[in-house]
Amino acid sequence: MELQLGLALGPPIHNPNKCLDLKICGFEPNEQVSSTPWTMSCVGAKNEFHVKNKRSSIEAFGSVVEEEEGQKPKTTLPLVSWSDQPHEEEEDNCGRGKICKRLIIERNQGGIVGWPPINSLRQKLLYQNRHPHQNQHGRIENNRTGENRPHSRSNSMYVKVKMEGVAIGRKIDLKRYHSYQTLKESLISMFSKNLRSELDVSANYTLTYQDREGDWLIAGDVPWRTFINSVRRLEILNNNGSLYRLGSPWFII
Amino acid sequence: MAYSFPVEVLEHIFSFIDSDNDRNAVSLVCKSWYEIERWCRRKIFIGNCYAVTPRIMIRRFPELRSVSLKGKPHFADFNLVPEGWGGYVDPWVLAMGRAYPFLEELRLKRMVVSDEALEMVSKSFKNFKVLVLSSCEGFTTDGLASIAANCRNLRELDLRESDVEDLGGNWLSCFPESCTSLVSLNISCLGSDWSLQSLSALERLVGRSPNLRRLRLNRAVPLDKLANLLRRAPQLVELGTGTFSSELRPDVFSNLSGAFSGCKELKALSGFWDAVPSHLPAVYTICSGLTSLNLSDANIQSSDLVKLISECQNLQRLWVFDYIEDSGLEALAESCKNLQELRVFPSDPYAMEPNVTLTEQGLVAVSEGCPKLESVLYFCRQFTNNALFTIAKNRPNLTRFRLCIIEPRTPDYITLEPLDAGFGAIVQNCKELRRLSLSGLLTDRVFEHIGTHAKKLEMLSIAFAGDSDLGLYHVLSGCKSLRKLEIRDCPFGDKALLANAAKLETMRSLWMSSCLVSFEACKLLGQKMPRLNVEVIDERGPPDSRPESYPVEKLYIYRSVAGPRLDMPAFVWTMDEELALRLS
């Protein structure tokens, strides 16, 4: 299997079928793409590699412009071509000249190593904001005994978070937070796929928690320290449901 | 002429000459001036630690008091330089420990520093005053403890953005009670878990440092401790807060507010981790005096940002997340007419869809409203040539322009054209431009513009751009002042590089990764240019295990009088003549 690697998006793609080529080649969106496209093609293209002259070597790597006289730059294939409406025909979108979005493959903290150019300290901060359930070294900590006793002396304090209507619950490390605001913001990102719209979360959802005595309370009413000491698990309730609302909405954005 | 002045007189005159360039010029006048100058030079800046050896430095400048060194290439910040590449400070510290007993200042950037080196620093230099470790790594809090314990006259300890391993312990308490000389302490990069003992050691240290002007705390310092610290250091000029959130108790808030209003000389604020908007008014009393505000660690949203910024009429520098949005930047352009530097960082760079409304409009607004704007770093998701034209027209005084459109190769979103013309306008109008970073869809055209117009450009960063060698050729042949060139994922190959080999000796360094430079060309360059170190960085194995015309993974070329270095890891090959002969 070889990958056609593109160097430049170029003008709008003339041949819509090229968008489909990559799928035919068996390129799966989940596939790990190596950090350097050249490495991939070096390893994969050994069979068709010609060691005749420099121009050939450039050819083997796909779509570099050849310095032949009068030749216009070839239009090159994008790395992956994905429309913003994945269910529509690829062909239509490319044909309309719409910008085909790149599929950024999630790997570590993004698709391409070192891009966008953000330094490591800042990356760490962003990563911590996006993955609050992983500890500082990026390993997911399994708090096996945490079901009924989330509060521990360790550096982490995992509690279960459920969202009403969502089958799969999550776990969150409360030691990573120092205030309701940051906790709620993380929960928004964590469940962003399940929120109807992130714009009006305050009106639509309420964060509740079960305390030590088994009672369900609205999060935000007691000081943070008290909350941390008594919380056992969290649940995000949908305000449009039939559940009894105990008080004010929880999100103030 | 030179002989008619006594040496002492010349020395005295030279002592007024501070800048490195001027000093270098002085040393070239004649032999005796060279001699006099080298004996009285006190400060040196070495932009690439492998360009020269400690021995050469010591031999020429026997009486230095201040040494600055830079190690890894800039792209190391983005994980492009493999672990173990180099940049070790230990040999330098070893040599300086013997040669410069009176060394006072050591400033390191992107170097690997061991605890042993720190201990050696703390014990070798009796009058050591300033330690700045910028984006360094390899040391722990134990190393810091040696510095704290042994440097009796320490004035500055600045760990900006370094990666420090926190071994617990309480290194701050290692500062002796007699140490009262601190002027600047930056520990903002340290970890988030601190004991009460550490906090109280910090409080005591701050309390006994009457000259403390710059204090940057780390996230572990809770908000309710901040007021105490401020009351002990009302003379602060720069403050980086710790975490800026806590339970909203009225007494905490008023205490904090009072403490801030006592700091009448505060000019710069940073920190604000986890900032809760309701706490921000605590700083309002000092906002009008602020010239620098760094909110790039704070998840504050646009409306709260605007409220805060509108209090800071005298702001010269603002670093902020893209939460500020276009609307916030428009407000900034209205209120902060003295703004010189703007940096807008992405809050969620890996998201497919933009999470905020930050577009080219925001930057255009600031370029219109802020006549003194000269330095820009801007991350966003869309741009147009027209916006770049407007910015170039509004701000011909730009000296640093770094635009990062998050998605590689994004064209002008309205015309779908490359952004060549837009960046061309920037280099053409902004004649004083010294630093430029490109992004978006770019062809060889943009490099033609750059080569033609960017005559004062010193540093250029290129990614996912260009069509052919011609692009690189334009840059290397046209940019007269170019010192640092860093390129990734561009179709630049052998031709341009070899044709401009001589240019490389006039530059500090060239970095190329994921380009099309063949191993063969590297060998040739290394052989023909003895004063260049051509390093091939390739983690796939020895270059001779592949055909010579295969592109190398990464290439780092820098001028050097030190010859090839001796501390290379397995994945780095230098192309000196001997090695080239062995491999061919």
Side-chain angles (χ1 to χ4, degrees), chain B residues 77-95:
Chain B
D77 286 354
F78 316 129
N79 301 326
L80 287 177
V81 178
E83 186 81 23
W85 172 84
Y88 305 104
V89 82
D90 291 37
W92 289 87
V93 171
L94 195 60

Side-chain angles (χ1 to χ4, degrees), chain A residues 7 36 38 102 109 113 115, chain B residues 350 406-407 409 488 514:
Chain A
L7 288 169
T36 51
W38 313 116
R102 292 294 171 89
Q109 296 180 332
V113 171
W115 191 267
Chain B
Y350 309 112
I406 289 176
E407 179 70 56
R409 307 195 189 97
R488 61 163 297 175
S514 306

Side-chain angles (χ1 to χ4, degrees), chain A residues 7-8 36 38-39 42 54 61 64-65 99 102 109 112-115 117 119-120 122 125-126 179 225, chain B residues 77-78 161 245 247 296-297 345 347 350 352 379 404 406-407 409 416 467 488 494 514 516 540 550-551:
Chain A
L7 288 169
T36 51
W38 313 116
T39 315
C42 278
K54 284 232 166 62
F61 292 99
V64 182
V65 172
I99 297 170
R102 292 294 171 89
Q109 296 180 332
I112 309 164
V113 171
W115 191 267
N119 73 30
S120 26
R122 185 166 297 284
L125 181 74
L126 291 174
S179 72
R225 197 136 288 163
Chain B
D77 286 354
F78 316 129
E161 304 193 347
S245 90
E247 306 147 20
S296 61
D297 291 317
F345 296 97
S347 53
Y350 309 112
M352 279 301 294
F379 283 83
C404 178
I406 289 176
E407 179 70 56
R409 307 195 189 97
L416 296 184
D467 310 310
R488 61 163 297 175
D494 302 344
S514 306
L516 290 176
R540 298 171 298 179
Y550 261 76

